[in-house]
Amino acid sequence: MAKPKRRYVCTECGSVASRWQGQCADCGQWNTLVEDAPATVFSTRHDLSAGGRALAFEPLDAPTPPLTRRGTGLAEFDRALGGGLVPGSAILMGGEPGIGKSTLLLQAAAAIARANRQSGAGPVVYVSGEEAAGQIRLRAGRLGLADAPIRLAAATSVRDILTTLHESEPPALLVIDSIQTMHSDTIEGAPGTVSQVRASAFELIRYAKQTGTALVLVGHVTKDGTIAGPRVLEHMVDVVMSFEGERSHQYRILRSLKNRFGAVDEIGVFAMEGAGLTEVANPSLLFLSGREEPVAGSSVFPALEGTRPVLVEVQALIVRLQSGATPRRAVVGWDTGRLAMLLAVLEARCGLSFSSAEVYLNVAGGYRLTDPAADLAVAAALVSALADRPLPLRSIWFGEVSLSGEVRPVAHCGLRLREAAKLGFDLGNGPDASPESVAGLRFTGLATLPRLVDRVMAGA
Ligand code: TYD
Ligand code: MG
């Protein structure tokens, strides 16, 4: 028999190569190729057009039971999920180590377990491969959850976990913390390798689908935001969620990146406090620094998260370099590539020069901007910092900037302006397509970036 061919899988993008190389040919990441278990040939019959079972096709409008959802006991978690956990679904919960994934899931598991004790719905099982049971009990005690009827186990063998689960009533919720620590003995390799993560997840997801258990797999992400290893899981699960925030800040955002059962535009907002995560039902003012005096380089952006507006402060700092050293560009909370683009547009269309200056951009409060309408707020902060002219204290800025320097219209202008007006802002600056007028707020349309520069120079 021919020796099975070796194959290598990229832990970042999941692409397959036939030989090892330092850099993945598809996504360009370095040192991400790992050896994968060889593909096994199960059948010697190569003609697949015969010998199978005939499928019974079904009409699209055949009767189906309506989708049921169960609340997690945390309204912000339910909101990000699009209304609650769907029985039999698999959720991948990604986030940097230490961000609070275990805390969030322990709190949700406890709430569900308490509710199920009343209603008689299935048990809640929490399996940790990272912490000993004693550690989790300590944490639960600190969070005031020690009395919740959670079935807790410290285990890493998928065979042990599934054997145990098959012996009793299937759980309503099964939390696996984390998928990178799980090990399936049907496959070679250490826990955390692509093939192990995939095989373990496959078995657990199959169990969830068969029994109607809602399954949550915790997955640690790398610093650039991709789910390491578990990236290959994204297509296997129904929902991909990301728990984000800066560890040094209190606020955390739960976002769904993929959801087979609902929209992906709602977020849940939490604050990490001494007694665990508390829900923040009205987050619109969280990401403002609360300053009283106007300062150069700071602008306020009315971001939109699903249906909720959130006002976010964008801060820019520009440091002129004396020597010919390469200037740094450092960004926290926004896309580095997008900053480079905006700087290039400001240089090309407005004649501003950033080439001999270091540019630092920070989004306050550990928030991550993903809304394309943030361009104008970032541009306003950059121009304000460069010119050392503060923007008016109670002004907001939003609009998408194109390569030609135009400020393009964005969605939900009215919603952004109304929320800002409600919170005491009185100057709106956005795309020229003038929205409805909002009481208490003066709106100025800016058709192009040069108009923005004029406005900042004129002291708005
Ligand atoms: P954890 O849930 O262990 O993070 P993850 O599972 O994502 O790795 O959270 C760890 C951090 O949360 C830890 O640095 C301390 C902080 N924390 C609090 O501030 N308050 C609390 O009540 C708890 C349980 C944790
Ligand atoms: Mg953890």
Side-chain angles (χ1 to χ4, degrees), residues 381-397:
L382 289 170
V383 176
S384 160
L386 189 73
D388 197 21
R389 278 177 187 273
L391 303 172
L393 194 53
R394 277 179 288 281
S395 61
I396 54 156
W397 308 76

Side-chain angles (χ1 to χ4, degrees), residues 20-104:
W20 193 87
Q21 20 189 45
Q23 187 181 23
C24 171
D26 276 326
C27 67
Q29 294 286 325
W30 288 92
N31 290 327
T32 54
L33 287 195
V34 293
E35 189 172 349
D36 198 19
T40 322
V41 178
F42 293 110
S43 170
T44 48
R45 295 179 298 159
H46 289 298
D47 177 13
L48 283 182
S49 62
R53 261 185 312 125
L55 306 178
F57 290 111
E58 292 186 37
L60 203 48
D61 61 355
T64 22
L67 203 61
T68 50
R69 290 177 186 278
R70 299 220 185 97
T72 58
L74 298 169
E76 293 292 306
F77 195 171
D78 290 345
R79 174 189 267 276
L81 278 168
L85 290 168
V86 176
S89 67
I91 297 159
L92 176 63
M93 172 75 72
E96 283 178 32
I99 208 72
K101 301 180 293 298
S102 304
T103 308
L104 175 72

Side-chain angles (χ1 to χ4, degrees), residues 301 334 338 341-342 371-380 399-402:
F301 168 57
W334 206 48
R338 196 101 192 144
M341 187 206 92
L342 202 56
D371 187 341
D375 291 353
L376 194 71
V378 176
E400 187 176 343
V401 172
S402 72

Side-chain angles (χ1 to χ4, degrees), residues 44-256:
T44 48
R45 295 179 298 159
H46 289 298
D47 177 13
L48 283 182
S49 62
R53 261 185 312 125
L55 306 178
F57 290 111
E58 292 186 37
L60 203 48
D61 61 355
T64 22
L67 203 61
T68 50
R69 290 177 186 278
R70 299 220 185 97
T72 58
L74 298 169
E76 293 292 306
F77 195 171
D78 290 345
R79 174 189 267 276
L81 278 168
L85 290 168
V86 176
S89 67
I91 297 159
L92 176 63
M93 172 75 72
E96 283 178 32
I99 208 72
K101 301 180 293 298
S102 304
T103 308
L104 175 72
L105 291 170
L106 191 63
Q107 286 183 236
I112 294 173
R114 281 176 176 159
N116 286 5
R117 179 166 52 186
Q118 308 284 320
S119 69
V124 169
V125 176
Y126 191 107
V127 180
S128 177
E130 307 208 325
E131 291 167 285
Q135 266 175 299
I136 301 168
R137 272 199 302 273
L138 263 176
R139 179 192 308 219
R142 220 153 33 85
L143 299 174
L145 305 174
D147 64 314
I150 294 180
R151 297 187 177 173
L152 181 63
T156 55
S157 157
V158 176
R159 187 181 295 278
D160 291 354
I161 295 168
L162 291 179
T163 307
T164 312
L165 291 180
H166 272 296
E167 277 168 8
S168 56
E169 183 191 359
L173 171 68
L174 169 62
V175 178
I176 300 290
D177 187 0
S178 64
I179 191 62
Q180 280 113 326
T181 57
M182 293 297 138
H183 181 264
S184 159
D185 57 22
T186 56
I187 281 225
E188 275 181 53
T193 54
V194 174
S195 42
Q196 275 295 343
V197 162
R198 201 162 38 194
S200 303
F202 182 79
E203 292 302 326
L204 291 162
I205 292 170
R206 185 160 64 175
Y207 172 80
K209 300 272 172 233
Q210 278 167 357
T211 56
T213 295
L215 169 69
V216 181
L217 303 172
V218 172
H220 293 295
V221 301
T222 51
K223 53 188 178 315
D224 62 356
T226 52
I227 297 182
R231 195 75 213 256
V232 296
L233 295 183
E234 287 186 359
H235 68 277
M236 294 168 69
V237 296
D238 302 302
V239 180
V240 179
M241 306 196 90
S242 146
F243 202 36
E244 305 169 354
E246 292 289 322
R247 247 174 300 174
S248 49
H249 287 91
Q250 199 184 5
Y251 297 110
R252 303 281 183 272
I253 289 177
L254 183 63
R255 204 185 279 285
S256 66

